[in-house]
Amino acid sequence: GNIYWTDHGFNLIEVARLNGSFRYVIISQGLDQPRSIAVHPEKGYLFWTEWGQTPCIGKAHLDGSEKVVLVSLGIAWPNGISIDYEENKLYWCDARTDKIERIDLESGGNREIVLSGSNVDTFSVAVFGAYIYWSDR
């Protein structure tokens, strides 16, 4: 098994074995304040949220290749990100827009607002079955 993480100080996404060996950078170009990541091992995808000058939701293969931006409009401070493996949906929460949204994880299409409201400062999100869990700062 592998573990993936973001390094905010150096704007990197890295991977290593669970015991810490074989550590290497998989994405180092074009990142500006990456926040959270989610991994879909079966499909071989890595997703991340990014703040910075151009907030977005990104997608790449687990080795960092074929990097694409799935969402770049109507997004400000995307924090947590989560995969619904049964429905093939990607969820994220945005602390600036006070929303939890989702898209098709393959195409990035069919964007939907799942939760929206004032006084909701979402920090992380998780999906399991028919339930959505989130933390509020």
Side-chain angles (χ1 to χ4, degrees):
N2 292 331
I3 184 168
Y4 294 79
W5 69 94
T6 61
D7 186 325
H8 305 296
F10 293 101
N11 296 328
L12 304 172
I13 297 178
E14 298 184 70
V15 63
R17 295 281 171 89
L18 291 177
N19 65 7
S21 65
F22 299 103
R23 177 178 173 179
Y24 68 97
V25 174
I26 56 171
I27 300 178
S28 62
Q29 300 296 314
L31 293 178
D32 183 20
Q33 298 183 38
R35 301 293 291 180
S36 297
I37 59 173
V39 176
H40 197 312
E42 185 178 306
K43 292 185 179 288
Y45 293 141
L46 167 73
F47 302 91
W48 67 93
T49 62
E50 183 162 348
W51 286 24
Q53 297 287 3
T54 347
C56 68
I57 307 289
K59 171 185 169 185
H61 288 289
L62 292 178
D63 63 359
S65 65
E66 297 190 38
K67 189 174 82 165
V68 296
V69 171
L70 294 178
V71 178
S72 61
L73 299 174
I75 192 167
W77 292 347
N79 276 325
I81 192 167
S82 184
I83 296 170
D84 181 339
Y85 296 94
E86 292 180 4
E87 299 294 327
N88 287 315
K89 298 284 187 181
L90 184 69
Y91 288 72
W92 75 92
C93 56
D94 193 311
R96 181 76 174 227
T97 64
D98 299 329
K99 294 177 185 173
I100 295 176
E101 298 185 69
R102 70 181 176 191
I103 55 174
D104 292 336
L105 62 82
E106 293 280 355
S107 67
N110 297 321
R111 184 172 176 177
E112 299 175 288
I113 296 172
V114 178
L115 175 75
S116 179
S118 58
N119 302 322
V120 178
D121 190 4
T122 54
F123 189 73
S124 62
V125 63
V127 181
F128 182 73
Y131 295 94
I132 300 169
Y133 302 87
W134 70 91
S135 66
D136 189 326
R137 280 194 311 173

